[in-house]
Amino acid sequence: MKIVIIKGSPHKNGSSNMLADQFIKGAEEKGHKIIELDAAHMDIHPCIGCDYCGMNGECSQKDDIANIRDALLSSDMAVFVTPVYYFGMSAQLKMVIDRFYSYTMKLSSKHIKTALITAAWDSNDDVMPYIAEHYKKLCRYMHFKDMGMVLGTGCGTPSMTAGSIHMEEAYRLGRSV
Ligand SMILES: Cc1cc2nc3c(=O)[nH]c(=O)nc-3n(C[C@H](O)[C@H](O)[C@H](O)COP(=O)(O)O)c2cc1C
Protein backbone atom coordinates (compact mmCIF):
# COMPACT_ATOMS: atom_id res chain seq x y z
CA MET A 1 0.00 0.00 0.00
CA LYS A 2 0.91 3.61 -0.45
CA ILE A 3 0.48 5.33 2.94
CA VAL A 4 0.56 9.08 3.43
CA ILE A 5 1.47 10.34 6.90
CA ILE A 6 0.09 13.82 7.61
CA LYS A 7 1.80 15.45 10.56
CA GLY A 8 0.19 18.27 12.51
CA SER A 9 2.67 19.13 15.24
CA PRO A 10 4.84 22.26 15.37
CA HIS A 11 7.49 20.06 17.05
CA LYS A 12 9.37 18.32 14.26
CA ASN A 13 10.93 15.90 16.75
CA GLY A 14 8.06 15.94 19.21
CA SER A 15 5.93 13.23 20.73
CA SER A 16 3.30 12.67 18.06
CA ASN A 17 5.96 12.49 15.36
CA MET A 18 7.93 9.99 17.50
CA LEU A 19 4.85 7.77 17.59
CA ALA A 20 4.41 8.27 13.85
CA ASP A 21 8.01 7.14 13.30
CA GLN A 22 7.23 3.90 15.11
CA PHE A 23 4.19 3.35 12.92
CA ILE A 24 6.34 4.03 9.84
CA LYS A 25 8.99 1.55 11.02
CA GLY A 26 6.36 -1.18 11.35
CA ALA A 27 4.65 -0.34 8.07
CA GLU A 28 7.93 -0.21 6.13
CA GLU A 29 8.90 -3.60 7.53
CA LYS A 30 5.71 -4.91 5.95
CA GLY A 31 6.76 -3.41 2.59
CA HIS A 32 4.43 -0.42 2.47
CA LYS A 33 5.52 2.76 0.68
CA ILE A 34 5.43 5.77 3.01
CA ILE A 35 5.02 9.42 2.08
CA GLU A 36 5.49 11.91 4.92
CA LEU A 37 3.92 15.35 4.72
CA ASP A 38 4.62 17.76 7.55
CA ALA A 39 1.50 19.92 7.32
CA ALA A 40 2.61 22.01 10.29
CA HIS A 41 5.58 23.30 8.29
CA MET A 42 3.93 23.70 4.92
CA ASP A 43 2.24 26.77 3.50
CA ILE A 44 -1.35 25.92 4.37
CA HIS A 45 -4.18 28.29 5.14
CA PRO A 46 -7.59 27.75 6.72
CA CYS A 47 -10.67 27.20 4.58
CA ILE A 48 -12.30 30.61 4.16
CA GLY A 49 -15.72 29.17 3.31
CA CYS A 50 -15.97 31.16 0.08
CA ASP A 51 -17.68 28.23 -1.66
CA TYR A 52 -15.80 28.98 -4.87
CA CYS A 53 -15.28 25.21 -5.13
CA GLY A 54 -18.95 24.37 -4.61
CA MET A 55 -17.64 21.51 -2.45
CA ASN A 56 -16.43 19.75 -5.56
CA GLY A 57 -14.07 21.82 -7.66
CA GLU A 58 -11.04 24.04 -7.73
CA CYS A 59 -10.07 25.76 -4.48
CA SER A 60 -9.70 29.54 -4.61
CA GLN A 61 -6.54 29.36 -2.46
CA LYS A 62 -3.22 28.45 -4.04
CA ASP A 63 -1.00 26.93 -1.39
CA ASP A 64 0.57 23.62 -0.38
CA ILE A 65 -2.78 21.96 0.23
CA ALA A 66 -2.60 20.82 -3.40
CA ASN A 67 0.33 18.54 -2.48
CA ILE A 68 -1.67 17.01 0.36
CA ARG A 69 -4.77 16.60 -1.82
CA ASP A 70 -2.77 14.90 -4.59
CA ALA A 71 -1.09 12.57 -2.08
CA LEU A 72 -4.40 11.64 -0.43
CA LEU A 73 -6.13 11.01 -3.73
CA SER A 74 -3.32 8.72 -4.89
CA SER A 75 -2.83 6.78 -1.62
CA ASP A 76 -4.46 3.71 -0.15
CA MET A 77 -4.17 4.91 3.42
CA ALA A 78 -3.74 8.13 5.41
CA VAL A 79 -2.43 8.49 8.95
CA PHE A 80 -3.39 11.65 10.82
CA VAL A 81 -0.79 12.65 13.39
CA THR A 82 -1.42 15.36 15.96
CA PRO A 83 -0.77 16.56 19.48
CA VAL A 84 -3.90 16.93 21.61
CA TYR A 85 -4.72 20.61 21.97
CA TYR A 86 -7.64 21.36 24.28
CA PHE A 87 -9.04 17.87 23.75
CA GLY A 88 -8.98 18.15 19.98
CA MET A 89 -6.54 18.05 17.10
CA SER A 90 -4.05 20.84 16.44
CA ALA A 91 -5.12 23.75 14.26
CA GLN A 92 -2.38 22.72 11.84
CA LEU A 93 -4.09 19.37 11.20
CA LYS A 94 -7.59 20.82 11.34
CA MET A 95 -6.72 23.14 8.46
CA VAL A 96 -5.90 20.08 6.36
CA ILE A 97 -9.22 18.46 7.28
CA ASP A 98 -11.28 21.58 6.60
CA ARG A 99 -9.61 21.95 3.23
CA PHE A 100 -11.05 18.54 2.24
CA TYR A 101 -14.06 20.71 1.40
CA SER A 102 -13.16 21.21 -2.28
CA TYR A 103 -12.55 17.47 -2.82
CA THR A 104 -14.85 15.82 -0.28
CA MET A 105 -16.66 13.76 -2.91
CA LYS A 106 -13.45 12.70 -4.67
CA LEU A 107 -11.84 11.65 -1.39
CA SER A 108 -14.86 9.95 0.18
CA SER A 109 -15.50 7.89 -2.94
CA LYS A 110 -12.02 6.35 -2.63
CA HIS A 111 -12.83 4.59 0.67
CA ILE A 112 -9.23 4.90 1.84
CA LYS A 113 -7.93 3.33 5.03
CA THR A 114 -6.98 5.69 7.85
CA ALA A 115 -5.44 5.77 11.32
CA LEU A 116 -5.07 8.38 14.05
CA ILE A 117 -1.94 8.98 16.11
CA THR A 118 -2.11 11.46 18.98
CA ALA A 119 0.05 12.58 21.89
CA ALA A 120 -1.17 14.33 25.05
CA TRP A 121 0.40 15.30 28.33
CA ASP A 122 -2.26 13.94 30.65
CA SER A 123 -2.79 10.28 31.29
CA ASN A 124 -6.32 10.21 32.69
CA ASP A 125 -9.41 8.74 30.99
CA ASP A 126 -10.87 12.12 30.13
CA VAL A 127 -8.21 13.25 27.65
CA MET A 128 -8.80 11.24 24.50
CA PRO A 129 -12.54 10.50 24.09
CA TYR A 130 -13.22 13.78 22.32
CA ILE A 131 -10.53 13.64 19.64
CA ALA A 132 -11.26 9.94 19.16
CA GLU A 133 -14.98 10.59 18.62
CA HIS A 134 -14.25 13.39 16.18
CA TYR A 135 -11.94 11.13 14.20
CA LYS A 136 -14.48 8.29 14.20
CA LYS A 137 -17.24 10.63 12.99
CA LEU A 138 -14.93 11.90 10.26
CA CYS A 139 -14.32 8.31 9.18
CA ARG A 140 -18.04 7.63 8.92
CA TYR A 141 -18.71 10.84 7.02
CA MET A 142 -15.75 10.48 4.65
CA HIS A 143 -16.15 6.70 4.17
CA PHE A 144 -12.69 6.09 5.60
CA LYS A 145 -11.93 2.62 6.86
CA ASP A 146 -10.46 3.06 10.34
CA MET A 147 -7.46 0.80 10.88
CA GLY A 148 -6.77 1.91 14.44
CA MET A 149 -5.86 4.69 16.81
CA VAL A 150 -2.81 5.30 18.95
CA LEU A 151 -4.09 7.50 21.76
CA GLY A 152 -0.85 8.54 23.38
CA THR A 153 -1.76 9.57 26.91
CA GLY A 154 1.18 10.47 29.14
CA CYS A 155 3.17 11.52 26.06
CA GLY A 156 3.80 15.14 27.08
CA THR A 157 7.49 15.33 26.12
CA PRO A 158 9.81 13.27 23.94
CA SER A 159 11.32 11.60 27.02
CA MET A 160 7.88 10.74 28.44
CA THR A 161 6.91 9.38 25.03
CA ALA A 162 10.10 7.35 24.63
CA GLY A 163 9.26 5.50 27.85
CA SER A 164 5.57 4.99 27.11
CA ILE A 165 3.77 1.86 25.98
CA HIS A 166 2.42 3.81 23.02
CA MET A 167 5.72 3.51 21.12
CA GLU A 168 5.24 -0.25 20.85
CA GLU A 169 1.55 0.22 20.18
CA ALA A 170 2.30 2.54 17.23
CA TYR A 171 4.89 0.10 15.87
CA ARG A 172 2.38 -2.76 16.10
CA LEU A 173 -0.27 -0.71 14.33
CA GLY A 174 2.21 -0.09 11.50
CA ARG A 175 2.94 -3.81 11.31
CA SER A 176 -0.76 -4.63 11.28
CA VAL A 177 -1.91 -2.57 8.31
C1 LIG B 1 -2.03 24.72 22.95
C2 LIG B 1 -1.81 23.45 23.69
C3 LIG B 1 -2.91 22.74 24.16
C4 LIG B 1 -2.74 21.54 24.84
N1 LIG B 1 -3.83 20.86 25.27
C5 LIG B 1 -3.68 19.68 25.93
C6 LIG B 1 -4.80 18.96 26.42
O1 LIG B 1 -5.96 19.34 26.24
N2 LIG B 1 -4.58 17.80 27.10
C7 LIG B 1 -3.30 17.33 27.33
O2 LIG B 1 -3.16 16.29 27.95
N3 LIG B 1 -2.21 17.97 26.83
C8 LIG B 1 -2.38 19.13 26.15
N4 LIG B 1 -1.27 19.80 25.65
C9 LIG B 1 0.04 19.15 25.74
C10 LIG B 1 0.43 18.46 24.43
O3 LIG B 1 -0.60 17.67 23.90
C11 LIG B 1 1.64 17.54 24.66
O4 LIG B 1 2.71 18.30 25.16
C12 LIG B 1 2.07 16.77 23.45
O5 LIG B 1 3.10 15.90 23.80
C13 LIG B 1 2.62 17.64 22.34
O6 LIG B 1 2.89 16.80 21.23
P1 LIG B 1 3.98 17.16 20.12
O7 LIG B 1 5.34 17.10 20.75
O8 LIG B 1 3.78 16.12 19.09
O9 LIG B 1 3.65 18.52 19.61
C14 LIG B 1 -1.43 21.01 25.02
C15 LIG B 1 -0.31 21.74 24.55
C16 LIG B 1 -0.51 22.94 23.91
C17 LIG B 1 0.71 23.70 23.40
Side-chain angles (χ1 to χ4, degrees):
M1 278 198 297
K2 185 172 160 190
I3 305 176
V4 58
I5 315 285
I6 302 178
K7 299 170 172 179
S9 170
H11 303 127
K12 282 180 186 283
N13 300 310
S15 296
S16 56
N17 287 341
M18 285 171 67
L19 296 173
D21 285 344
Q22 290 300 301
F23 174 93
I24 291 167
K25 183 167 173 259
E28 283 183 335
E29 283 174 9
K30 291 299 287 288
H32 298 301
K33 179 176 163 27
I34 304 292
I35 297 161
E36 293 181 61
L37 292 175
D38 188 354
H41 296 92
M42 294 168 77
D43 178 34
I44 294 173
H45 300 266
C47 177
I48 54 171
C50 63
D51 247 327
Y52 177 83
C53 65
M55 229 183 151
N56 187 25
E58 198 188 334
C59 181
S60 66
Q61 301 194 72
K62 305 296 168 230
D63 59 14
D64 288 344
I65 213 71
N67 302 342
I68 294 187
R69 180 198 61 212
D70 292 350
L72 278 168
L73 292 176
S74 63
S75 293
D76 307 291
M77 179 171 180
V79 181
F80 302 111
V81 181
T82 179
V84 171
Y85 282 178
Y86 293 95
F87 310 101
M89 66 181 70
S90 68
Q92 290 87 336
L93 182 62
K94 187 63 165 55
M95 282 196 289
V96 172
I97 307 284
D98 289 352
R99 295 285 297 279
F100 286 171
Y101 196 71
S102 69
Y103 61 106
T104 288
M105 264 72 98
K106 282 195 186 88
L107 185 57
S108 58
S109 67
K110 280 186 56 78
H111 297 263
I112 61 168
K113 296 175 178 171
T114 57
L116 175 70
I117 295 178
T118 68
W121 188 286
D122 290 334
S123 51
N124 62 63
D125 290 345
D126 201 29
V127 183
M128 293 295 184
Y130 313 97
I131 191 168
E133 272 310 311
H134 184 193
Y135 164 72
K136 285 190 265 181
K137 177 64 192 174
L138 195 62
C139 289
R140 291 193 294 275
Y141 180 71
M142 294 297 296
H143 301 296
F144 295 156
K145 181 171 168 25
D146 172 38
M147 302 301 286
M149 297 182 278
V150 175
L151 302 175
T153 48
C155 291
T157 63
S159 61
M160 286 164 75
T161 305
S164 90
I165 55 162
H166 302 295
M167 294 289 273
E168 175 70 15
E169 194 187 338
Y171 169 72
R172 282 176 190 272
L173 180 59
R175 292 275 311 183
S176 75
V177 296

